[in-house]
Amino acid sequence: RIASLAPSGRSHFGSSARSVWVCFPTSSPFFGPAARAGSGCDQRPCGTVRALWPFWGPSGGPTAARGGLLTWIRTTLSLLAAGGGDCTSVGTDDVSGGMDVGPGSPMPNGSVSKVPATGVESGHKTAPVSPSSRPVPSAIASTPEPMLNPLEEYRKVDHLMLQPLVEGGTYYLVNRRWYIEWKQWVGHPDMQSPKMRAMGDPCSPDLLTMEASLSTAGADSVMSPPKRNRTHSWTKDRPGPIDNSELLEGGSSALKKTMQENSDYCIVPEDAWSMLSKWYGGGPTIRRRAIKVPSGSVQLELHGINLTVYKSSDMDTDSPATFNESKCTLVKAAKQSICASLGLDPEKVRVWDFFDKKRTVNLESHLDETLESCRIDDQPVLLEERNADGTWPYDPKDEPAKASTSFTGFGSSSGGNLSDAPPLRGVVGLQNLGNTCFMNSSLQCLSNVPALREFFLSDKYSESLNTNAYKTEGKLAKSYAELMKQMWAGDSSKVAPRDFKWQIGQFAEQFSGYGQQDSMELFEYVVDGLKEDTNRVQKKPYLEAKEAEGRDDKVASAEAFESYRMRNDSEIDDIFVGLYKSVVKCPETETCGRISVTFDPFLSGKIPLTSSEAQTLTTFSVTVVCARSTKQRPDPLLQVTVKLNKEQSVQELIAAVVADVPGLRQQCCILVEVHDKKLYKFFEDTNGLDSIRADDFLLLCEVEDENSAKWQDKGYSSIYDDEATKSESSTCGVVIYHRKKCEYRSDLYGLPMLMSVPKQATCRELYKLVLRKTQECVLEGADMPAWKLVRVRKYSENYEGTAIDPESDDPVGLSEGHEYMGLDWDPEATLPPRLPAEVDSHRSRNGEPERHLTDLLRMFVEEEKLGADNEWYCSKCKELKQAYKQLQFHHLPPVLVLQLKRFQYTRWSRERLSTPIRFPMEGLDMSPYCTSSSLADCSDADKRTYDLVGVSKHLGGMGGGHYIAFCRSSLDGDWYEFDDSWAKKVSAQDVEEDRVGAYVLFYLRRDQRPESFGKPPAPAAATL
């Protein structure tokens, strides 16, 4: 029973400490002089033990204080129960006063509440004593915060994660893999496939509620709270310590520039981080501040600005000082801070923008501006120190001229020496400013579109400059024109697009940082922005989209195009915008028969690499470890590739793998994910396949006992798992890591082994089982070097563990659930080939067949049935329908941009398709993919034929790729490769050779073909 007694005239939960009365029966081991002497508590007659409650009332009032008291009582009871006591009642008292919080609680006058407490005599009384007679038990005073159950962790953290970012607030980054594992542990709804999970929320009333148990169910429920059933979508292990090391650059505290939110890390508020770090430990701590960006939204400043500081008195140094500043820091504040650190007088120093180790802008006239507004990024700055005679080392006459742009004063910078001229005008590199290869690739392709380039080089764009454009206000067009002039000046081999990058970041927040982005997204944003900045329509009329409604295609398309031009009228639209004919048919042909025909503008064609049906399929590469070898499969280690629908379950994935492996028993198979050679996650049969990411390393292990394949959790099974769900197996699951000691740590090698071991096995028997498993799966018949087994934690490379004696006949002591062990190899031994130091964690597609662009275009214009998640509203049926839809090209623009949709996204995963695509270099005939009406209206074949002028290529996989560009110059007709700062001439064969990397194709219509391209090949000779 519980009671809080507060002094008269004060709140019930004031600032004074309280003692807790724990009542036991007289037969309890806690009763008597021996117990009193050992416990350090003030023990009263009738088995009452009292200990101080070290809690001071929070601002949350009685409710919050009561929650803190309940948490503390759980810890106290766990300590007392460790001695074998049978607790039947709990109470608290203060110096004076009182408030009941439970049945059977002592009242201020020493009487007892008339509501009896279970297991306590209603006549029992307790009397207050003076504070001096209340010694604090040492064990309780030093107790750390107790380990909470998953439900309590969920309740404390989840609502904090839903709060929006607050400007100036402090936040922390957590490795996404660890955070996902924690969400799985607490049973977060997001971690359960919507088609597979059980109904209900972790916080539903039917689940464990400690407060209700303590306040209404009596004393018995304190020691035995209501059971809580797990759902099968949870992982079976409590997460290990937080591990943020892979978010940081090796050996430093700097965050990797390639890290992306919700892909590599999650943002955690300060209060949530405090709890998670206290419960789990680990690190390193990655602390960041939220700032307001120019658009008004609040973002986390992930990287800040790394400044490399040179002094004019020591220009030849090999180790200049480095400083990290917020991009919102004023130049004045940064100067003072740096000077103070270097022991310089700010009054005797001038600070320069020293980008590319060249003095570009004197920042003394910008001291009250932020580093960001001065275009200062990760770069060098120069501190020019005044000479002893009061002069400056650099004569003002030698100061660099301001950038030619009149609206900023901070233009793009040319790179290289002026004498380092490019091989040809326009063949210049673009400096990588920090993961900006995606931007450089798109800019190079746009730079080599003749009509677009000349529009900005000739300043014709200024005639229609729209300073009222939403967000961009004409600034993007000005910045792009300045960049084109620098790229085509012919006086430098590379250019740093600093101002252009800064302008984009001002208007499109996704491009403001230094994370890797998509070159196609950059292209679409830039072209859309240039369209608006040069739009002749200043005030756009409101127009409703109209359907053809049986009218001739020529009439309906002309009306649609005219409507579009009434709102969008620019040279950019003339170059890039075309029209689709869209036909949507209601599937109820007999009762409805509605057909909707519209003509819709497009800026680019997004071409799928697979059919809509095939897009729902995913290729899974699974490493299979059989329980033992057989004649049918002498090698127990196999690699199996299967294709399944993303809506299917893990059970169906296992079944598909079993069908490919003779003799493999499905009921004995366990599917796990391995990350960094550690077992990261157990998959349940009911998990959806959409929970598996493209780069997950899947390991399917066959164990001997099918019951142990359930591998029940042991961490909280006695409290949270229903008795009926406990494993009836006589074996226990064991995960074995291969380890080898190197200096002061043990490194992991190869893949972990999973096996079932009898619960009553002796140490000697365990060694025999592990030896046989290792010989079959790892040694391949070779002799076993010296080794030993140790019991370890889940994440165990730095944990010595408890050694297991190979000669002992004592039981190992395996319990419910699964355990982790380390197989420690002799440090001097040569490990077998099957224990590599590195394990490939990426799935391979095992040679996908090559496809032709013409095949993809043919598939693109075919009629398809819409999916259930993309239904069409039929105005006649008055409901959503899975209609039939067909797209065809009707109006073809001078520049046709085709995106090969290599990147597929689900709510759980991102995947890059590595399908080789063969594309025409010249003579792409679009006639087969156009409407018949458009072909009849235009007999000029040149207006339907295209030649390739640029390719944006993506090399690598998701998150770790690199963008380059191949472009054909309109000056000499040759092909050039652009890889950031580098540019070189290549052959047409080099361009089409890499068919896996081709991502965005830029085609120039034949009637726009430059003379330098030469005479086009005859149609029969058009090359693929």
Side-chain angles (χ1 to χ4, degrees):
R1 71 185 174 187
I2 309 166
S4 173
L5 309 180
S8 175
R10 297 177 57 192
S11 65
H12 291 307
F13 289 82
S15 60
S16 61
R18 292 166 184 76
S19 60
V20 176
W21 293 91
V22 186
C23 301
F24 298 88
T26 54
S27 60
S28 168
F30 289 104
F31 180 69
R36 176 166 58 249
S39 68
C41 299
D42 175 31
Q43 189 167 354
R44 307 288 293 175
C46 300
T48 301
V49 179
R50 180 171 58 188
L52 187 66
W53 173 35
F55 180 84
W56 283 263
S59 59
T63 301
R66 187 176 297 115
L69 170 61
L70 297 172
T71 300
W72 185 85
I73 288 175
R74 287 189 65 217
T75 307
T76 305
L77 296 179
S78 65
L79 289 169
L80 296 176
D86 176 22
C87 174
T88 58
S89 181
V90 180
T92 67
D93 77 89
D94 208 323
V95 178
S96 61
M99 180 185 78
D100 291 337
V101 294
S105 303
M107 300 300 286
N109 60 1
S111 63
V112 173
S113 168
K114 294 182 180 180
V115 180
T118 304
V120 180
E121 294 179 3
S122 60
H124 175 72
K125 298 182 180 181
T126 59
V129 295
S130 64
S132 61
S133 64
R134 300 172 180 166
V136 181
S138 58
I140 295 178
S142 61
T143 300
E145 178 146 339
M147 180 185 295
L148 303 181
N149 67 64
L151 176 61
E152 291 172 320
E153 290 187 17
Y154 172 87
R155 285 177 167 171
K156 286 178 176 291
V157 172
D158 187 65
H159 71 96
L160 298 174
M161 299 295 294
L162 301 177
Q163 297 174 358
L165 296 179
V166 178
E167 181 182 5
T170 299
Y171 298 86
Y172 295 80
L173 304 188
V174 172
N175 189 321
R176 178 185 179 275
R177 284 186 176 274
W178 185 92
Y179 184 65
I180 291 297
E181 190 173 358
W182 176 80
K183 291 177 75 173
Q184 293 163 345
W185 167 246
V186 300
H188 197 287
D190 288 352
M191 294 297 100
Q192 304 178 42
S193 173
K195 292 186 178 295
M196 304 296 174
R197 71 171 179 238
M199 299 299 291
D201 184 85
C203 287
S204 58
D206 59 321
L207 298 180
L208 175 63
T209 305
M210 285 299 302
E211 293 86 346
S213 301
L214 286 170
S215 62
T216 63
D220 287 343
S221 62
V222 174
M223 297 306 296
S224 302
K227 304 295 183 184
R228 177 189 184 192
N229 293 326
R230 285 190 181 279
T231 67
H232 288 289
S233 61
W234 301 10
T235 65
K236 298 176 180 296
D237 291 299
R238 187 175 188 270
I242 299 170
D243 183 7
N244 288 333
S245 57
E246 64 183 46
L247 302 181
L248 304 175
E249 298 287 358
S252 74
S253 59
L255 185 69
K256 292 179 180 177
K257 292 294 183 67
T258 57
M259 296 295 100
Q260 296 182 3
E261 184 181 357
N262 297 326
S263 176
D264 303 293
Y265 67 86
C266 296
I267 299 174
V268 177
E270 187 169 23
D271 291 344
W273 167 260
S274 177
M275 289 185 283
L276 291 174
S277 61
K278 185 178 296 184
W279 297 334
Y280 294 95
T285 300
I286 306 177
R287 183 174 179 264
R288 293 295 184 266
R289 186 182 68 161
I291 62 173
K292 182 174 287 187
V293 297
S295 64
S297 65
V298 178
Q299 292 183 353
L300 212 61
E301 186 175 23
L302 294 177
H303 303 284
I305 298 175
N306 294 313
L307 301 178
T308 304
V309 180
Y310 289 87
K311 297 188 296 182
S312 59
S313 60
D314 188 19
M315 294 296 296
D316 297 329
T317 179
D318 294 329
S319 55
T322 58
F323 296 86
N324 185 274
E325 297 284 350
S326 168
K327 60 184 178 182
C328 295
T329 302
L330 297 180
V331 174
K332 180 194 300 182
K335 175 184 175 181
Q336 292 174 344
S337 173
I338 293 172
C339 287
S341 299
L342 299 179
L344 300 176
D345 183 355
E347 298 299 324
K348 299 180 180 180
V349 169
R350 293 195 303 192
V351 59
W352 287 82
D353 181 341
F354 202 46
F355 182 82
D356 210 22
K357 294 190 179 179
K358 295 180 179 62
R359 289 180 298 119
T360 56
V361 177
N362 187 338
L363 298 177
E364 291 300 310
S365 58
H366 304 277
L367 292 178
D368 292 326
E369 299 178 31
T370 65
L371 294 173
E372 182 186 30
S373 64
C374 292
R375 319 301 198 260
I376 302 297
D377 288 320
D378 293 352
Q379 63 172 78
V381 294
L382 173 64
L383 298 182
E384 183 187 6
E385 302 166 86
R386 181 183 292 168
N387 297 324
D389 59 3
T391 62
W392 295 98
Y394 304 115
D395 193 292
K397 298 178 181 179
D398 297 331
E399 290 187 13
K402 299 280 186 180
S404 59
T405 48
S406 60
F407 62 99
T408 63
F410 296 91
S412 301
S413 301
S414 297
N417 299 320
L418 293 180
S419 59
D420 187 16
L424 186 73
R425 280 184 59 234
V427 183
V428 298
L430 291 174
Q431 188 164 334
N432 193 317
L433 305 177
N435 284 319
T436 57
C437 61
F438 71 96
M439 179 181 73
N440 295 343
S441 176
S442 289
L443 288 177
Q444 293 288 7
C445 292
L446 289 172
S447 172
N448 283 277
V449 174
L452 179 68
R453 179 182 70 243
E454 294 305 319
F455 179 63
F456 285 95
L457 287 181
S458 65
D459 282 335
K460 185 179 177 181
Y461 79 95
S462 59
E463 298 174 6
S464 56
L465 190 65
N466 182 8
T467 57
N468 296 319
Y470 177 64
K471 281 192 176 183
T472 53
E473 300 175 342
K475 296 176 182 178
L476 185 64
K478 287 183 177 181
S479 180
Y480 183 80
E482 178 64 26
L483 178 60
M484 289 298 102
K485 291 173 182 178
Q486 292 191 6
M487 292 177 66
W488 287 84
D491 57 5
S492 179
S493 62
K494 68 176 180 179
V495 168
R498 299 175 66 200
D499 181 70
F500 186 77
K501 166 70 170 64
W502 187 84
Q503 291 291 352
I504 290 179
Q506 297 299 293
F507 311 131
E509 296 168 5
Q510 66 269 32
F511 302 120
S512 62
Y514 292 92
Q516 182 67 280
Q517 301 291 338
D518 187 282
S519 68
M520 185 62 188
E521 291 181 11
L522 189 281
F523 158 79
E524 290 182 328
Y525 172 76
V526 169
V527 175
D528 266 331
L530 295 179
K531 278 161 49 6
E532 288 302 312
D533 275 2
T534 58
N535 195 352
R536 302 181 187 95
V537 180
Q538 300 290 315
K539 188 175 182 180
K540 298 184 177 183
Y542 172 76
L543 298 171
E544 290 187 3
K546 295 182 179 180
E547 296 186 10
E549 296 180 338
R551 292 179 294 169
D552 184 77
D553 281 0
K554 184 176 181 179
V555 176
S557 63
E559 180 184 72
F561 202 67
E562 181 61 26
S563 297
Y564 176 80
R565 296 307 295 265
M566 290 175 67
R567 294 174 53 85
N568 305 274
D569 184 13
S570 72
E571 291 285 339
I572 315 301
D573 290 291
D574 295 340
I575 296 172
F576 289 101
V577 176
L579 278 183
Y580 285 133
K581 180 182 179 181
S582 173
V583 180
V584 184
K585 300 177 182 178
C586 180
E588 307 297 336
T589 55
E590 295 183 0
T591 59
C592 178
R594 168 162 161 67
I595 300 177
S596 171
V597 179
T598 58
F599 290 87
D600 306 316
F602 68 88
L603 188 63
S604 62
K606 303 183 185 303
I607 313 300
L609 304 191
T610 59
S611 65
S612 56
E613 181 180 355
Q615 287 180 41
T616 63
L617 298 177
T618 300
T619 301
F620 296 93
S621 183
V622 184
T623 300
V624 181
V625 181
C626 304
R628 58 183 58 195
S629 58
T630 64
K631 291 182 178 180
Q632 292 176 302
R633 41 179 172 81
D635 190 347
L637 188 64
L638 306 169
Q639 192 74 21
V640 178
T641 301
V642 294
K643 279 192 174 184
L644 287 94
N645 191 297
K646 296 174 184 176
E647 298 297 323
Q648 291 180 270
S649 66
V650 165
Q651 184 177 27
E652 291 168 299
L653 170 61
I654 296 175
V657 174
V658 168
D660 278 359
V661 181
L664 193 64
R665 298 164 295 167
Q666 181 175 348
Q667 70 274 17
C668 295
C669 289
I670 303 170
L671 183 67
V672 299
E673 178 189 343
V674 176
H675 174 65
D676 196 22
K677 292 165 284 187
K678 302 168 188 172
L679 196 153
Y680 169 67
K681 175 183 177 181
F682 286 93
F683 289 101
E684 298 282 358
D685 286 346
T686 53
N687 283 146
L689 296 185
D690 57 358
S691 66
I692 301 177
R693 302 198 308 176
D695 58 349
D696 289 347
F697 188 100
L698 300 181
L699 181 66
L700 185 69
C701 296
E702 181 189 23
V703 296
E704 293 289 355
D705 182 5
E706 64 179 84
N707 290 320
S708 68
K710 296 181 177 60
W711 291 46
Q712 296 294 326
D713 171 51
K714 70 172 184 176
Y716 288 97
S717 58
S718 62
I719 298 179
Y720 301 109
D721 288 324
D722 192 277
E723 295 293 341
T725 67
K726 287 198 174 188
S727 173
E728 299 177 356
S729 171
S730 61
T731 62
C732 170
V734 176
V735 179
I736 297 178
Y737 291 126
H738 297 277
R739 311 191 310 174
K740 185 177 180 182
K741 189 142 191 174
C742 302
E743 295 183 356
Y744 301 105
R745 56 172 290 163
S746 294
D747 289 338
L748 297 181
Y749 290 83
L751 297 172
M753 294 192 306
L754 279 69
M755 55 189 298
S756 54
V757 177
K759 293 177 182 176
Q760 303 303 319
T762 65
C763 298
R764 191 190 304 273
E765 291 169 340
L766 175 63
Y767 267 82
K768 290 181 179 179
L769 292 172
V770 174
L771 175 61
R772 186 179 69 182
K773 184 75 172 179
T774 306
Q775 287 175 332
E776 288 188 348
C777 296
V778 177
L779 296 177
E780 300 180 279
D783 293 334
M784 184 80 167
W787 59 287
K788 66 177 181 180
L789 283 177
V790 294
R791 225 168 184 158
V792 298
R793 299 189 185 112
K794 182 178 181 183
Y795 297 102
S796 56
E797 68 269 26
N798 293 317
Y799 180 59
E800 290 295 331
T802 304
I804 299 176
D805 184 359
E807 302 299 327
S808 172
D809 290 319
D810 294 334
V812 179
L814 301 175
S815 58
E816 288 290 337
H818 56 272
E819 301 211 9
Y820 294 86
M821 296 184 184
L823 193 162
D824 286 0
W825 295 74
D826 183 349
E828 304 300 324
T830 300
L831 297 183
R834 283 196 169 173
L835 290 181
E838 299 297 332
V839 176
D840 181 16
S841 61
H842 290 81
R843 301 185 302 161
S844 65
R845 293 192 161 268
N846 301 326
E848 294 192 25
E850 181 179 85
R851 305 202 67 179
H852 293 260
L853 177 62
T854 51
D855 295 332
L856 301 183
L857 288 169
R858 189 177 301 111
M859 182 175 62
F860 178 74
V861 299
E862 288 177 350
E863 184 178 76
E864 64 173 352
K865 187 175 183 179
L866 300 178
D869 58 345
N870 189 30
E871 292 180 317
W872 170 73
Y873 180 77
C874 177
S875 58
K876 190 173 181 179
C877 296
K878 305 298 184 184
E879 60 181 344
L880 293 172
K881 295 288 185 179
Q882 286 185 253
Y884 293 91
K885 182 175 181 178
Q886 182 181 29
L887 283 179
Q888 288 179 292
F889 293 93
H890 186 78
H891 170 73
L892 294 169
V895 177
L896 178 63
V897 180
L898 300 177
Q899 177 195 12
L900 304 178
K901 296 179 68 175
R902 292 198 176 276
F903 300 99
Q904 291 187 354
Y905 301 89
T906 69
R907 73 187 192 94
W908 287 100
S909 65
R910 304 181 303 159
E911 181 178 16
R912 185 196 187 279
L913 303 181
S914 299
T915 308
I917 304 299
R918 196 176 179 195
F919 48 89
M921 298 292 292
E922 291 190 299
L924 172 62
D925 183 9
M926 293 294 293
S927 299
Y929 324 112
C930 294
T931 60
S932 56
S933 58
S934 66
L935 295 177
D937 293 337
C938 180
S939 59
D940 187 354
D942 283 352
K943 290 190 178 291
R944 301 189 300 272
T945 306
Y946 287 84
D947 302 318
L948 192 67
V949 73
V951 185
S952 174
K953 291 199 173 187
H954 178 266
L955 313 176
M958 291 294 302
H962 177 63
Y963 288 93
I964 63 174
F966 289 93
C967 302
R968 193 174 185 181
S969 172
S970 60
L971 298 186
D972 64 0
D974 289 331
W975 282 94
Y976 293 87
E977 178 185 350
F978 299 91
D979 187 352
D980 287 334
S981 298
W982 301 97
K984 66 178 181 179
K985 182 183 289 189
V986 295
S987 67
Q989 183 179 356
D990 294 328
V991 178
E992 60 179 339
E993 198 171 63
D994 180 13
R995 296 166 184 171
V996 174
Y999 180 43
V1000 186
L1001 306 174
F1002 291 76
Y1003 278 100
L1004 195 63
R1005 205 168 62 191
R1006 181 63 59 82
D1007 63 333
Q1008 306 285 320
R1009 181 184 176 95
E1011 292 184 3
S1012 61
F1013 284 15
K1015 185 178 179 180
T1023 58
L1024 272 178

